[in-house]
Amino acid sequence: MTKDTILRAIGARPEDQRKLLMMAPVFFICGISEMLNYNGFMTLFNQRFGSEYLPYVYAAEAIILPLEAWLLSWLAARLPKPKLMRVLYGIMLGIVAVNALMLLVLQSFGLELRGYYPVLFIASSFVVRQQTLLLWSLAVDLCSTQQAKRLMPVFVGSATLGGVAAGLLAQLLSLFFGPEVIYAASGLLLLAALPNYRKVITRYLVPLSIKIEANALEEEPVSTGAVFKHALRSPFLLTVILLMTLMPALYFLMEYEFLNVTKMSFPSEQAFSRFFGMITMVLFVLAFLLQTVSGKLMARLGASQMLTAISGVYVLAFAGALFFVGGPAALPMISIGYMLLYLLLYYSAEPSYQLFFKTLPLAQRDSYRYAAQGIAATAGILIGAGLQFLHSGFGVSWTALSFVGFAGAVLLFVLAWFGRRFYMRELVGSIQTIGEQDLAEQFDEFSRNEAAMAELRAMLKQPIDSAKEIALQIIGRQQNPNDVADLLALIDDPNPRIRVAAVRAMNLERADLHAMVKVAAFLEDQDDEMRAEGVRQIGRMKHMEHQAFYFLRQKLLDRHPSVIAEAVKAMYSFNNAASLEACAEVIDRILDAGGESSVYICRVIAELELYSFVPKVEKLVDDAHPAARVAAIACLGRLKVTSIIPILLERLPLMDQEMFRTTTESFIQMGDGAIELLTDSLNGAPLKRWTAVMITLSALLPDEQVRSKLTDEALNRLSELEAASGYSLSLKQLGKTELAELALLRWREVRDFIFTGVWAVLTKLADEQVVDAIRRAAADEDEEIRSNAWEVLAEGMGERRLSQFLLTVLERGEAGREVTADEEATVLLEAALNGNDDWWREIAAAALVEEGEQMSKDQQMMSRLNKVVFLRQVPYFADLSLEELGLIANIAEEYVCPDGENLLQRGEPNPAMYVIVDGNIELTSISAAGWEGTIGVLGAGDVCGVTSALDSTSSTVTAQSLLGDVRVLKLLGDNVSRLIRLYPEIGIGLLRASFARIRLLEEMMMRIDS
């Protein structure tokens, strides 16, 4: 059986594997520990102190519990989440260790301290209670909601397997030792689980908590009193507290019946311990078998309905006790009922409660969790003790006591049934607060609950647009044909977003002609998105194919390509000759024209897998329009056209950011067919190519191959980055300040690309969510957040060598290796001269030229590197990268304008923009009031003629050299426009600078008028 098969069998996914391997052993070992702990202290208390005193011990525990809850809530509000988890585990381990030592000392010296056993009961009960809550809360907090639903049943299964093992172990130990040794064994197992527990916190919880804790520190902490007040005033939290109260109260009643009937049947400690171990083993086996379907049950029922089902089991358990109490079957029935309630309470109800608390912010979640737990535990114990006291104090018969338990279970069931509505309201409220991010996770909860869906349909009539949009998104996911009438009422809404969302939410597969006509009205709407959505919906109405074809055929000639694309997609779904022929003609026409219109058609070709158009799509990779090139590459990736890989690899070094990202995603989509080609290109690859290939192979290769093939490659690049950190300092040592700044700029660019590849490897070998959190935190401005992230890297996240080397580079920062002598600097630059990076080679070559070989600045023409050094100091190009500056330098022509001549003439066409290197330029113009005069004088580093050069209009100013010759870099407008089309980032940088210049010129013109 393969790993993937096992994961599917337990309802998990491949991305869950690491958390399963880390957490499942913790649950298993702690499951053994918990049951041995429980077996030990319950046997000792029951046999040496007496179960008839149980109500009094519970009453004492109820007095202590509010203080316990206050302390835990106080700690949760002040300690970081990871530290809180460690502290609580340490407290539990300490309590068990002290008690185990005390019991073994008493046994060794033959002492009998009867008054100690209530203390043992209360302290150990705290450990059992908190151990369960601690593990559930940890598991829920480090998993997303849907992942928690998948993994919780597996964790419960691990814990129940631990219960089976505990039953066997308890029986075995009871043959040779007393309950003291059984109790001590629980402490040793708790200690054994500690390494994995701490590892889980370090690798998962710390990264996820870094930013949240930093934000929480900026906010005023919620006081413990405020938490308790809000918990009691919130209908949702109050319902949760009542459920958390009544369930343990009824469990304590069943426990009381079990202990008394067992004591009567098994008076000796050994016999009781063996029987308890046998019952534990049998029921935990059954519970483990139940876990094979519980994942599907949790996914199908959700947290609220899971509690309702558990309440139903409570009813059945007390019904069995009521029916069989006093008879020969009382022992097995009450024993089974007791163990079932124990398992359901601690292994099924508790995880469901934790999912309830996920509706609260993580920073406040533990405070409310412990407040609710404290209130519920205190009230539950008091009610449970009161129910027990009905028999021990007032002599109520076992039959009457069982009837009281049955009535309480019925009340619990009713409370859980009606409490679902509050939960759904809370989910609706949390989604309105959090937004679209939570919709996918919570959709299943809504779709199973008619009350929640009714709430959402009511939101459609609210005047608040945001509420309508949220409701429409959820209703749209359900695609219920019965909602069409309500949705049709919204298509006249004044907000176009609501109209589009309403049409998108409809299921028109069985709609009538009236609905089609209503939707068809949108086909002539002024809004392009509305027309496209109308086309999409009519395409779904295949039960009226003839009428749909009539409307869709017209839209093949729509003015917007997105509508045409939707029409093509809809008509292809009809799969008849007339539709296919009409669509093929339109696709050919658009692909031949290229440009922006082809973007939408490329998406349709990819979605419909129209391989016959691949040759024309491949030609679009050379299209002049950048969006067309990006769309073509994305299309070829989805169609897995691996033959395009060599071409894309060759062009990667000169790609802009969007095309680079799209190319990388396309490589990943090509799948296994791309692996060999990409692997062969990795050795000695240029920087961008290396990064794209590393990202792709990290996504495609299995963990073992990523670890063996890519880790060393990433380590080598980090080593090269470390060596290159000395280039800038070497240039400074030789007095090449401008080149040093250029080398540092290049080092930053190289670092960012290498880091991207390294993070991709770590993401594959660790958890994606965790790596993303660490990546952001490692670059955070806050020193404490950075140090927390670095601590995780120091622990060896994903791959220890790579993680720790990355940490070394991060800690060093831009400081670089120290260079103290010219000889050392020369050696480093000679290494750069022989490296594989073009820019460092060029920078090193310029720095190592002997002074005697250099011509004076006035005699020599500026090299590309000289131009880049100069352009980098020009504010107009300040936002560009070194590679983009190099592209500008390649088209920059050096030109000298003699004194008194014009570079620009007002009213005449201007083919170029000019960057002043030396000299001064006077700008003159005529104001709106008719005044002619100087509006400014430009010097070195200033730019003129940008607007007229790029839009081919006449110049609005005259630019004349002033007081001598002027040396400029001339950039032809056509060349600049071509670069902007190829590299949109250049256009964005120039646009920002243009806005700044426009504002400056406006201020100058206003001064002239005044």
Side-chain angles (χ1 to χ4, degrees):
M1 184 178 289
T2 65
K3 178 177 62 179
D4 291 340
T5 305
I6 295 173
L7 289 173
R8 282 196 301 271
I10 62 178
R13 297 178 182 174
E15 61 264 29
D16 303 330
Q17 178 185 344
R18 291 186 184 89
K19 287 179 183 174
L20 277 173
L21 292 177
M22 295 283 285
M23 285 294 294
V26 175
F27 275 88
F28 176 71
I29 296 172
C30 287
I32 302 175
S33 172
E34 181 181 335
M35 292 312 299
L36 290 181
N37 184 337
Y38 191 76
N39 185 305
F41 84 76
M42 287 301 291
T43 300
L44 289 165
F45 178 84
N46 193 45
Q47 300 297 328
R48 299 186 186 180
F49 195 78
S51 59
E52 63 272 16
Y53 295 103
L54 199 58
Y56 303 100
V57 176
Y58 278 144
E61 194 172 23
I63 296 172
I64 297 171
L65 272 172
L67 297 175
E68 173 190 311
W70 178 87
L71 175 62
L72 293 175
S73 183
W74 182 84
L75 287 173
R78 282 155 181 80
L79 289 180
K81 177 73 176 181
K83 188 173 183 179
L84 174 68
M85 305 301 272
R86 294 188 184 109
V87 167
L88 289 180
Y89 199 94
I91 291 173
M92 293 189 307
L93 188 58
I95 289 173
V96 175
V98 169
N99 280 320
L101 183 63
M102 182 73 175
L103 289 171
L104 293 175
V105 168
L106 291 175
Q107 183 187 39
S108 300
F109 290 98
L111 301 176
E112 182 65 35
L113 292 177
R114 190 165 181 268
Y116 166 68
Y117 295 108
V119 176
L120 173 69
F121 184 102
I122 292 173
S124 300
S125 181
F126 167 83
V127 172
V128 170
R129 184 169 59 249
Q130 294 304 325
Q131 179 178 322
T132 304
L133 290 171
L134 193 66
L135 292 182
W136 294 148
S137 64
L138 176 62
V140 168
D141 287 345
L142 62 85
C143 298
S144 64
T145 301
Q146 291 305 307
Q147 189 179 49
K149 288 180 180 178
R150 292 195 303 270
L151 298 190
M152 274 303 200
V154 182
F155 293 151
V156 172
S158 301
T160 45
L161 268 181
V164 174
L168 289 170
L169 190 58
Q171 291 187 73
L172 181 65
L173 290 175
S174 65
L175 294 175
F176 307 101
F177 306 102
E180 295 90 348
V181 173
I182 294 175
Y183 186 93
S186 74
L188 293 176
L189 287 166
L190 204 59
L191 185 62
L194 181 60
N196 250 34
Y197 177 82
R198 292 182 63 86
K199 199 177 293 184
V200 168
I201 292 175
T202 301
R203 293 193 180 180
Y204 293 107
L205 193 58
V206 169
L208 297 178
S209 303
I210 288 174
K211 194 69 179 179
I212 296 170
E213 288 166 8
N215 293 337
L217 290 173
E218 297 174 2
E219 303 172 0
E220 186 176 345
V222 182
S223 68
T224 308
V227 169
F228 276 86
K229 287 179 183 178
H230 181 258
L232 292 173
R233 289 175 182 173
S234 166
F236 165 66
L237 289 175
L238 191 57
T239 302
V240 175
I241 290 171
L242 289 174
L243 288 171
M244 294 173 68
T245 299
L246 199 50
M247 276 193 179
L250 294 174
Y251 159 73
F252 292 142
L253 177 58
M254 183 64 77
E255 179 188 54
Y256 180 74
E257 293 191 16
F258 167 76
L259 289 175
N260 278 277
V261 73
T262 307
K263 187 175 182 180
M264 289 185 288
S265 303
F266 303 97
S268 74
E269 289 182 3
Q270 237 183 9
F272 177 87
S273 184
R274 281 200 302 272
F275 174 75
F276 189 73
M278 182 193 68
I279 292 294
T280 301
M281 180 186 67
V282 172
L283 288 177
F284 271 93
V285 168
L286 294 175
F288 177 74
L289 294 176
L290 180 64
Q291 294 310 310
T292 60
V293 296
S294 63
K296 296 177 181 177
L297 281 176
M298 176 67 85
R300 184 174 180 81
L301 297 177
S304 60
Q305 296 193 93
M306 193 73 173
L307 287 175
T308 306
I310 292 170
S311 302
V313 177
Y314 266 70
V315 174
L316 294 176
F318 277 101
L322 176 62
F323 187 77
F324 291 101
V325 70
L331 177 63
M333 287 303 301
I334 292 176
S335 297
I336 291 173
Y338 161 69
M339 295 303 295
L340 276 176
L341 296 194
Y342 177 88
L343 290 172
L344 289 174
L345 176 63
Y346 291 112
Y347 292 91
S348 294
E350 287 295 348
S352 298
Y353 296 147
Q354 302 309 320
L355 290 176
F356 281 174
F357 288 115
K358 280 185 76 69
T359 60
L360 300 171
L362 181 60
Q364 302 174 10
R365 191 177 300 164
D366 282 326
S367 296
Y368 283 102
R369 177 185 283 147
Y370 289 123
Q373 173 195 331
I375 296 169
T378 301
I381 288 177
L382 286 175
I383 294 172
L387 293 175
Q388 294 172 357
F389 197 71
L390 290 175
H391 176 267
S392 63
F394 296 103
V396 172
S397 67
W398 290 113
T399 301
L401 196 64
S402 298
F403 179 79
V404 171
F406 176 75
V410 171
L411 176 62
L412 176 67
F413 182 82
V414 172
L415 181 65
W417 181 266
F418 287 102
R420 295 183 309 158
R421 190 177 187 88
F422 291 115
Y423 177 49
M424 291 302 155
R425 285 181 180 174
E426 193 71 16
L427 280 179
V428 171
S430 67
I431 287 179
Q432 290 187 64
T433 302
I434 298 170
E436 189 174 349
Q437 176 185 357
D438 221 25
L439 290 179
E441 289 195 344
Q442 303 297 355
F443 168 70
D444 290 338
E445 292 282 356
F446 288 104
S447 61
R448 289 189 298 266
N449 192 296
E450 278 303 317
M453 294 304 298
E455 291 267 348
L456 289 168
R457 292 186 183 101
M459 289 170 63
L460 296 177
K461 298 180 174 61
Q462 292 184 14
I464 305 172
D465 286 347
S466 60
K468 289 180 184 177
E469 286 190 66
I470 290 168
L472 286 169
Q473 288 180 61
I474 299 176
I475 291 171
R477 286 175 64 91
Q478 196 173 30
Q479 288 290 292
N480 188 341
N482 297 327
D483 291 324
V484 170
D486 292 334
L487 297 172
L488 284 172
L490 288 175
I491 61 178
D492 295 323
D493 194 278
N495 187 335
R497 290 172 58 90
I498 300 299
R499 295 202 304 272
V500 171
V503 176
R504 190 172 290 154
M506 294 178 187
N507 182 351
L508 299 173
E509 293 177 358
R510 299 198 303 270
D512 56 16
L513 186 59
H514 169 72
M516 175 180 276
V517 172
K518 190 89 171 173
V519 174
F522 292 126
L523 299 183
E524 304 304 322
D525 195 279
Q526 293 299 311
D527 186 271
D528 299 330
E529 188 177 1
M530 179 59 78
R531 293 201 309 281
E533 193 58 49
V535 168
R536 192 178 297 119
Q537 289 295 349
I538 288 178
R540 295 175 182 174
M541 303 177 77
K542 295 181 176 57
H543 57 293
M544 292 187 286
E545 183 176 327
H546 179 73
Q547 294 88 338
F549 181 85
Y550 170 76
F551 288 116
L552 295 174
R553 181 64 183 265
Q554 300 176 52
K555 291 293 101 183
L556 292 177
L557 301 174
D558 194 90
R559 64 179 180 271
H560 198 277
S562 66
V563 181
I564 297 174
E566 287 299 332
V568 168
K569 192 161 54 175
M571 291 183 69
Y572 253 94
S573 67
F574 292 149
N575 198 27
N576 59 57
S579 297
L580 298 181
E581 183 180 353
C583 291
E585 182 182 339
V586 171
I587 294 174
D588 279 330
R589 172 172 54 81
I590 293 177
L591 291 179
D592 288 339
E596 188 175 0
S597 298
S598 63
V599 171
Y600 300 92
I601 286 297
C602 282
R603 293 171 186 167
V604 172
I605 291 171
E607 185 176 341
L608 300 180
E609 298 183 350
L610 306 178
Y611 290 96
S612 60
F613 297 102
V614 165
K616 290 195 174 184
V617 174
E618 288 180 322
K619 291 180 180 178
L620 287 177
V621 175
D622 297 318
D623 195 89
H625 199 289
R629 296 198 304 275
V630 169
I633 293 171
C635 175
L636 295 171
R638 290 184 62 180
L639 295 178
K640 303 184 186 303
V641 183
T642 56
S643 59
I644 198 68
I645 289 179
I647 296 173
L648 296 179
L649 287 174
E650 189 66 30
R651 298 182 184 180
L652 264 170
L654 295 177
M655 286 184 179
D656 63 80
Q657 293 181 13
E658 183 182 9
M659 194 171 296
F660 174 85
R661 184 172 57 251
T662 303
T663 301
T664 305
E665 291 170 356
S666 295
F667 287 162
I668 294 172
Q669 289 177 329
M670 290 177 188
D672 294 343
I675 290 177
E676 185 176 356
L677 286 169
L678 295 176
T679 303
D680 293 343
S681 70
L682 189 60
N683 188 27
L687 185 62
K688 279 188 175 180
R689 183 190 302 170
W690 180 87
T691 304
V693 172
M694 289 292 285
I695 293 171
T696 305
L697 293 179
S698 295
L700 296 179
L701 293 174
D703 290 6
E704 297 76 13
Q705 293 187 36
V706 170
R707 198 179 300 276
S708 62
K709 294 183 178 180
L710 301 188
T711 299
D712 288 340
E713 184 67 36
L715 288 169
N716 290 338
R717 288 285 174 153
L718 285 175
S719 298
E720 292 175 8
L721 183 66
E722 279 282 83
S725 65
Y727 295 165
S728 178
L729 292 177
S730 297
L731 292 164
K732 283 185 179 179
Q733 176 68 26
L734 296 177
K736 310 289 185 179
T737 307
E738 292 179 340
L739 291 178
E741 292 177 358
L742 212 58
L744 181 59
L745 177 63
R746 181 57 179 169
W747 186 86
R748 290 170 183 162
E749 293 175 1
V750 171
R751 176 196 60 188
D752 291 344
F753 277 105
I754 292 177
F755 277 10
T756 300
V758 171
W759 285 117
V761 174
L762 291 176
T763 297
K764 183 59 179 278
L765 299 177
D767 181 87
E768 182 177 356
Q769 189 181 10
V770 168
V771 174
D772 183 60
I774 290 298
R775 183 176 183 174
R776 286 183 281 108
D780 200 279
E781 295 180 358
D782 188 282
E783 184 178 354
E784 184 175 352
I785 295 175
R786 284 200 312 275
S787 63
N788 287 336
W790 290 356
E791 181 183 350
V792 178
L793 290 173
E795 291 288 331
M797 180 183 67
E799 211 287 330
R800 181 173 295 276
R801 292 179 302 152
L802 185 57
S803 175
Q804 292 178 345
F805 199 163
L806 176 61
L807 174 61
T808 301
V809 179
L810 287 170
E811 287 178 330
R812 188 187 297 275
E814 296 182 357
R817 52 187 295 184
E818 188 176 355
V819 179
T820 57
D822 290 358
E823 294 78 8
E824 184 182 0
T826 302
V827 169
L828 279 174
L829 292 177
E830 287 174 348
L833 195 61
N834 297 318
N836 60 4
D837 185 86
D838 292 341
W839 281 106
W840 277 329
R841 285 202 302 268
E842 193 169 344
I843 292 170
L848 294 174
V849 172
E850 294 295 333
E851 294 293 334
E853 298 178 15
Q854 294 186 8
M855 294 182 293
S856 68
K857 183 180 289 186
D858 294 333
Q859 294 174 326
Q860 68 174 344
M861 296 296 288
M862 296 176 72
S863 67
R864 181 180 78 142
L865 192 61
N866 296 140
K867 292 174 184 177
V868 168
V869 171
F870 172 71
L871 289 171
R872 185 173 175 271
Q873 301 169 5
V874 176
Y876 213 90
F877 303 98
D879 291 332
L880 301 184
S881 68
L882 188 58
E883 290 185 353
E884 290 161 351
L885 286 172
L887 294 170
I888 296 290
N890 288 336
I891 64 168
E893 176 187 348
E894 193 171 355
Y895 172 73
V896 177
C897 179
D899 182 25
E901 288 193 8
N902 292 340
L903 275 178
L904 304 173
Q905 180 64 49
R906 184 178 183 276
E908 294 184 4
N910 169 43
M913 58 184 286
Y914 302 93
V915 185
I916 302 172
V917 179
D918 288 313
N920 299 290
I921 293 288
E922 180 185 26
L923 297 180
T924 60
S925 187
I926 300 175
S927 72
W931 290 94
E932 181 176 3
T934 299
I935 58 175
V937 175
L938 304 181
D942 288 327
V943 182
C944 63
V946 178
T947 306
S948 55
L950 293 179
D951 64 7
S952 301
T953 58
S954 300
S955 176
T956 58
V957 298
T958 296
Q960 185 181 55
S961 56
L962 180 67
L963 301 177
D965 295 347
V966 178
R967 192 154 60 113
V968 297
L969 291 178
K970 179 180 178 181
L971 301 168
L972 291 175
D974 289 343
N975 289 337
V976 176
S977 298
R978 180 176 175 275
L979 276 182
I980 291 173
R981 286 195 301 271
L982 292 173
Y983 307 98
E985 292 296 322
I986 293 177
I988 294 173
L990 297 179
L991 188 62
R992 290 196 189 101
S994 295
F995 286 151
R997 289 297 306 274
I998 289 170
R999 287 192 294 270
L1000 178 61
L1001 289 173
E1002 286 175 345
E1003 292 173 1
M1004 289 181 176
M1005 294 298 291
M1006 290 180 66
R1007 285 199 296 269
I1008 291 175
D1009 286 340
S1010 63

